[in-house]
Amino acid sequence: MSLPVPNALEPSATLKAVLVDDEQLARDELGYLLGQIGGVDVVGQAGDGVEALAVIDGSDPEVVFLDVQMPGLTGFEVARRLLESGPSAHIIFVTAYDQHAIEAFEVNAVDYLLKPVEAGRLEQALQRARRRVETERQPPAAGAGPNPSNDQIERIVKMMAARQVRRDQVAIKVGER
């Protein structure tokens, strides 16, 4: 009797998550969307960066949904502290500000979602997080090459940098020109 091989994109295990946003309604909406998608257990919530560090330390999540602009510590300050403390939860930034995307990938974020969060984009971010978690669970193969997720991150950073250049240009109509 052979067992079916699970699809790499299907949730093989429930991801433990922490939601961090200074707006309760934003946390509620994200929690609702995660519940609709399934495969995620929200093990904690925080309303600011300082509280986030305590909740993350106490709940040991695999993924943290982190707002950028919050009182106390910003999302990036939280992410940097998590990076400094060693292997930790994977970070998915959820914010209304698109100008911080490049900085998000500098702290090895899984994804960068803009509010209001679309369910399809949230699912993509969860798939990326699952792949990272699964990669960590597997022992590295002898002679393995570079991590494919790093290549993906580099491509996204280059794309966002090119997009940022275009946003710095402004068209102004002067007379008929």
Side-chain angles (χ1 to χ4, degrees):
M1 179 175 157
S2 64
L3 296 173
V5 177
N7 181 332
L9 299 180
E10 289 178 5
S12 57
T14 301
L15 287 177
K16 293 190 326 182
V18 168
L19 311 182
V20 183
D21 197 306
D22 58 331
E23 298 177 22
Q24 181 65 48
L25 288 175
R27 292 195 309 267
D28 292 345
E29 175 67 16
L30 185 57
Y32 172 79
L33 288 171
L34 290 170
Q36 294 296 306
I37 293 170
V40 177
D41 181 20
V42 177
V43 295
Q45 293 189 26
D48 62 56
V50 174
E51 182 184 6
L53 291 172
V55 170
I56 292 166
D57 186 49
S59 59
D60 194 32
E62 294 161 308
V63 64
V64 176
F65 292 89
L66 189 58
D67 190 14
V68 171
Q69 294 190 346
M70 297 181 294
L73 298 171
T74 69
F76 289 112
E77 290 169 325
V78 170
R80 285 187 183 92
R81 289 187 185 191
L82 292 175
L83 279 175
E84 289 169 2
S85 67
S88 186
H90 298 285
I91 297 168
I92 298 174
F93 283 101
V94 183
T95 183
Y97 305 97
D98 65 349
Q99 69 265 29
H100 300 291
I102 293 173
E103 189 177 357
F105 292 104
E106 289 173 357
V107 293
N108 202 26
V110 172
D111 211 331
Y112 190 91
L113 303 175
L114 292 176
K115 295 177 185 176
V117 176
E118 297 174 6
R121 277 291 289 124
L122 181 58
E123 273 189 275
Q124 289 175 351
L126 284 170
Q127 289 174 354
R128 286 186 183 110
R130 284 186 199 290
R131 284 193 291 265
R132 284 198 187 181
V133 168
E134 290 300 321
T135 299
E136 285 178 350
R137 290 179 182 162
Q138 298 173 358
N147 185 346
S149 64
N150 289 340
D151 293 337
Q152 291 173 336
I153 290 172
E154 286 179 34
R155 276 185 271 144
I156 291 169
V157 168
K158 287 177 185 174
M159 178 188 71
M160 292 304 297
R163 186 181 276 175
Q164 187 65 36
V165 170
R166 285 185 289 204
R167 288 197 176 127
D168 288 341
Q169 299 172 356
V170 177
I172 300 173
K173 184 174 182 179
V174 178
E176 292 302 311
R177 297 182 335 166

